[in-house]
Amino acid sequence: MKIGNRDFSKHTGIMGILNVTPDSFSDGGCYNSVDKALFRTEQMLKEGADIIDVGGESTRPGYVMISEKEEIYRVSPVIEAIKREFDCLVSIDTYKSNVAKAAIDSGADIINDIWGFKYDNTMARVAATMHVHCCIMHNRKNKEYNNFCEDMLADLRESVAIAEEAGIDKNMLVLDPGVGFAKSYEQNLMAMNNLERLGEITPNFMLAASRKSVIGLALDLDTDERLEGTLATTVIAVMKGAQIVRVHDVEQNRRAILMAEKIMGKAI
């Protein structure tokens, strides 16, 4: 899979998290100005990030939705500045089509939708019209599953069908199992252990588990102590064939990826 001048087909790439919010669960308030966001972007790029994922609204458990106007106000100046200062891919972490359109107009290359085109029924059309790659995550309004893995895959197939109906080529899609969303602790572990099954739908898939509560519950650790747990999820993602991992700690995860790939004989 190629996005812009980056090729993710032979090497697991890194999506570095840049939350320009006051209230994200791990780094809220740290980068919510253009100067701070640029400083963090430069740091992540030097450490090996391939994509900078800009988010203007926290989606932590119990988050409060903000207006589209406020979200655009937060993300557009940051995206414009990043694209002006650096040669890198930028994704917009939003489930609102108007925010996505404004972000793409500001230079974003990728839409990262935590609702997999199911929250805003114009999101897929915006993505198709503006011809951008899309990360579509598994999510649902309830945790009632008959067979968790099969139901998760069925939900993702629905998202892919929405995309294709809007005119998006399946090769433009990257699937995300949605760790931390509409899943119990056990189901989050199961989603990661069955990550390769997303390849039954499309060859492109990713994992976004960095510092999440499943790691805290597994290891009984607070948010700022979850690096080693995150690295374990990244190595699993590499072994399962993921094209991208979305993480906070870029340098450490890059090293974990390279080590795993050297063991597997696939380092480039």
Side-chain angles (χ1 to χ4, degrees), residues 186-198:
E186 292 80 10
Q187 288 164 347
N188 281 314
L189 294 175
M190 198 180 303
M192 288 188 280
N193 194 34
N194 288 274
L195 182 64
E196 77 280 5
R197 293 203 60 194
L198 274 60

Side-chain angles (χ1 to χ4, degrees), residues 87-105:
D87 177 20
C88 66
L89 295 172
V90 172
S91 57
I92 175 63
D93 181 0
T94 188
Y95 51 91
K96 303 167 190 171
S97 61
N98 287 333
V99 177
K101 185 177 185 305
I104 296 164
D105 286 339

Side-chain angles (χ1 to χ4, degrees), residues 169 189 207 212 245:
D169 188 299
L189 294 175
L207 182 64
K212 287 187 175 179
V245 291

Side-chain angles (χ1 to χ4, degrees), residues 62-217:
Y63 74 96
V64 176
M65 184 185 294
I66 62 172
S67 69
E68 292 179 346
K69 182 179 179 180
E70 174 65 20
E71 194 172 346
I72 291 168
Y73 174 78
R74 291 179 182 179
V75 301
S76 285
V78 169
I79 293 170
E80 288 174 2
I82 291 172
K83 296 298 284 191
R84 183 174 62 248
E85 297 293 328
F86 306 107
D87 177 20
C88 66
L89 295 172
V90 172
S91 57
I92 175 63
D93 181 0
T94 188
Y95 51 91
K96 303 167 190 171
S97 61
N98 287 333
V99 177
K101 185 177 185 305
I104 296 164
D105 286 339
S106 297
D109 309 279
I110 304 163
I111 295 172
N112 184 12
D113 183 355
I114 66 165
W115 279 103
F117 296 151
K118 293 181 181 179
Y119 176 86
D120 185 332
N121 59 16
T122 62
M123 180 69 96
R125 192 157 61 248
V126 166
T129 301
M130 305 191 85
H131 198 65
V132 293
H133 282 76
C134 304
C135 301
I136 51 178
M137 195 189 81
H138 175 262
N139 204 348
R140 54 161 57 189
K141 293 180 179 179
N142 62 69
K143 299 181 182 180
E144 298 170 10
Y145 300 94
N146 293 317
N147 180 310
F148 172 72
C149 283
E150 299 305 324
D151 291 351
M152 178 181 69
L153 293 173
D155 290 345
L156 284 168
R157 286 190 179 96
E158 289 175 358
S159 290
V160 171
I162 293 169
E164 291 186 311
E165 187 175 349
I168 302 172
D169 188 299
K170 188 182 285 189
N171 291 323
M172 300 284 283
L173 303 176
V174 182
L175 302 186
D176 178 345
V179 171
F181 291 83
K183 296 170 186 67
S184 67
Y185 165 72
E186 292 80 10
Q187 288 164 347
N188 281 314
L189 294 175
M190 198 180 303
M192 288 188 280
N193 194 34
N194 288 274
L195 182 64
E196 77 280 5
R197 293 203 60 194
L198 274 60
E200 297 173 15
I201 305 172
T202 173
N204 307 321
F205 55 91
M206 62 182 284
L207 182 64
S210 181
R211 301 185 188 174
K212 287 187 175 179
S213 61
V214 62
I215 298 171
L217 290 170

Side-chain angles (χ1 to χ4, degrees), residues 193-256:
N193 194 34
N194 288 274
L195 182 64
E196 77 280 5
R197 293 203 60 194
L198 274 60
E200 297 173 15
I201 305 172
T202 173
N204 307 321
F205 55 91
M206 62 182 284
L207 182 64
S210 181
R211 301 185 188 174
K212 287 187 175 179
S213 61
V214 62
I215 298 171
L217 290 170
L219 302 178
D220 191 24
L221 293 173
D222 292 332
T223 306
D224 61 354
E225 298 179 298
R226 298 174 186 172
L227 174 59
E228 296 90 346
T230 298
L231 297 178
T233 68
T234 289
V235 171
I236 290 292
V238 173
M239 295 177 71
K240 298 284 188 178
Q243 280 71 35
I244 298 168
V245 291
R246 180 181 181 272
V247 299
H248 297 85
D249 306 288
V250 173
E251 186 170 56
Q252 296 91 332
N253 280 277
R254 180 185 62 83
R255 291 172 180 169

